[in-house]
Amino acid sequence: MKRLKKLVILILVISTFLAAFPEKVRADMGPKPSIKLTVVNAPADYYVALLSNEFEYDMPEAELKIDSVTEDSVREYLKNFYYQKWYFFESPVGYNVYKKNDEGVYLFDYMVPDPFRVIIISTDGKVTISDEIDVVEYNSEVTYDFASGTLRENNKDEGLSKRIFWIIVCYILTLLFEYIMLKIFRYPNNKRNLICFFVTNTITQIGLNTFIAIFWNAGLFMFVLSCWIEIFIIAIESVVYAINLVDMYDDHHPIKGIKYAIAANLFSIFMGYVMLSLATSFFR
């Protein structure tokens, strides 16, 4: 019970920290691509979303107009939207359409289209589509000037340092969450266990992040491969922990090691979603 209370307190502390500093952080074994979109010179009220052209569909082209603008009508319109080979991009983790906020800043993450266009639906029913942009950065900051219809990426010159920073942050958070599970499974902090824990996580993180650095601009291809790589990582860690982790009497328990590997990674993924939800809620 004491361990559970400590775990709950730690989660609350982390959640509070993220609420104070609402930047996107994903801890499920690596950073995730994002687009932080700033809209300027826009109508008084509107809905905003992203468009993709990764796949080709045989669909009739939509009219750039909605008769009555409500949340339901916007959802239905975007669901069937197709215009000049562009269609509404819906993230695998949720319906990513934002209503205008005071800051004009909107965060799209986990899975984002590249290239993409921005679609604006104003309350008078007019539908406006931006120019196309092919972003450079993994976590990209883009400004959309509604008046001119142009998109501009803001952070091209600081990409490498920013990418390295987020890789380090995600690595540290992954270690934190998986160490919590190490304690919940009551593995002692002996030299053997700690070396196994840190070396294994470091290798898997470097492998995953190297893959992301190479293929991050590959859209759905990267997303599918990332899922398979994460499954592969769980399998590798299961074997490593089953062989190497020991209890306080230096005894091996292979089944326990496998259970720990699965639980630790699932907990890390779950906490990544929790953090993502907290961060993105500030942009809605």
Side-chain angles (χ1 to χ4, degrees):
M1 185 60 69
K2 288 183 178 180
R3 292 177 184 273
L4 181 58
K5 288 181 179 178
K6 290 180 180 179
L7 174 59
V8 171
I9 291 172
L10 182 58
I11 291 174
L12 290 174
V13 169
I14 294 171
S15 300
T16 303
F17 174 81
L18 284 172
F21 302 97
E23 287 287 341
K24 185 197 80 67
V25 179
R26 287 305 304 272
D28 52 332
M29 297 175 288
K32 303 301 178 187
S34 69
I35 295 170
K36 185 177 180 180
L37 178 69
T38 301
V39 180
V40 298
N41 300 321
D45 200 10
Y46 59 84
Y47 291 84
V48 59
L50 302 183
L51 301 178
S52 175
N53 66 350
E54 189 165 5
F55 302 106
E56 295 222 7
Y57 295 101
D58 185 16
M59 295 173 59
E61 292 205 347
E63 286 189 62
L64 299 183
K65 189 178 187 313
I66 298 182
D67 292 332
S68 177
V69 178
T70 64
E71 288 192 16
D72 290 338
S73 66
V74 167
R75 180 186 290 267
E76 187 64 24
Y77 177 79
L78 289 174
K79 179 181 177 182
N80 300 290
F81 180 84
Y82 186 75
Y83 184 77
Q84 296 179 351
K85 299 184 178 181
W86 292 85
Y87 54 89
F88 167 58
F89 180 84
E90 185 169 1
S91 168
V93 296
Y95 174 72
N96 48 339
V97 177
Y98 291 93
K99 198 172 189 304
K100 180 183 182 296
N101 58 38
D102 293 337
E103 296 78 22
V105 179
Y106 313 94
L107 182 63
F108 301 87
D109 55 9
Y110 192 78
M111 178 76 177
V112 292
D114 189 23
F116 71 90
R117 298 171 78 176
V118 175
I119 181 170
I120 295 278
I121 302 174
S122 55
T123 51
D124 62 2
K126 183 178 179 182
V127 178
T128 305
I129 301 175
S130 73
D131 291 343
E132 174 184 343
I133 188 172
D134 191 347
V135 296
V136 173
E137 296 309 324
Y138 189 78
N139 299 115
S140 182
E141 297 181 7
V142 176
T143 297
Y144 171 41
D145 187 334
F146 180 84
S148 65
T150 58
L151 292 169
R152 183 185 75 254
E153 188 172 13
N154 307 326
N155 55 349
K156 293 182 180 180
D157 295 332
E158 55 185 70
L160 181 60
S161 60
K162 200 168 188 178
R163 199 173 304 174
I164 292 173
F165 170 75
W166 284 116
I167 288 174
I168 293 172
V169 169
C170 292
Y171 168 68
I172 292 173
L173 289 174
T174 299
L175 289 179
L176 171 63
F177 296 141
E178 298 200 12
Y179 181 76
I180 290 172
M181 293 304 299
L182 193 74
K183 294 293 95 185
I184 291 176
F185 274 73
R186 297 186 177 182
Y187 280 111
N189 288 335
N190 57 41
K191 185 177 180 180
R192 180 189 183 100
N193 285 348
L194 291 178
I195 290 177
C196 174
F197 173 80
F198 283 107
V199 170
T200 302
N201 277 286
T202 299
I203 292 174
T204 54
Q205 284 289 302
I206 290 175
L208 179 63
N209 290 322
T210 299
F211 164 78
I212 288 174
I214 296 173
F215 292 107
W216 74 268
N217 202 30
L220 183 63
F221 171 75
M222 187 204 75
F223 173 74
V224 173
L225 279 185
S226 293
C227 291
W228 280 107
I229 287 178
E230 290 187 355
I231 293 173
F232 178 72
I233 286 173
I234 293 176
I236 292 297
E237 291 187 358
S238 295
V239 173
V240 172
Y241 293 147
I243 295 173
N244 291 284
L245 292 182
V246 295
D247 61 18
M248 65 180 66
Y249 304 107
D250 287 337
D251 292 330
H252 293 279
H253 302 278
I255 300 301
K256 181 181 177 181
I258 293 172
K259 289 180 179 179
Y260 163 69
I262 295 172
N265 282 282
L266 291 180
F267 178 63
S268 179
I269 292 172
F270 169 76
M271 285 305 301
Y273 279 107
V274 171
M275 289 184 160
L276 175 64
S277 298
L278 286 171
T280 55
S281 65
F282 286 87
F283 292 89
R284 289 195 179 275

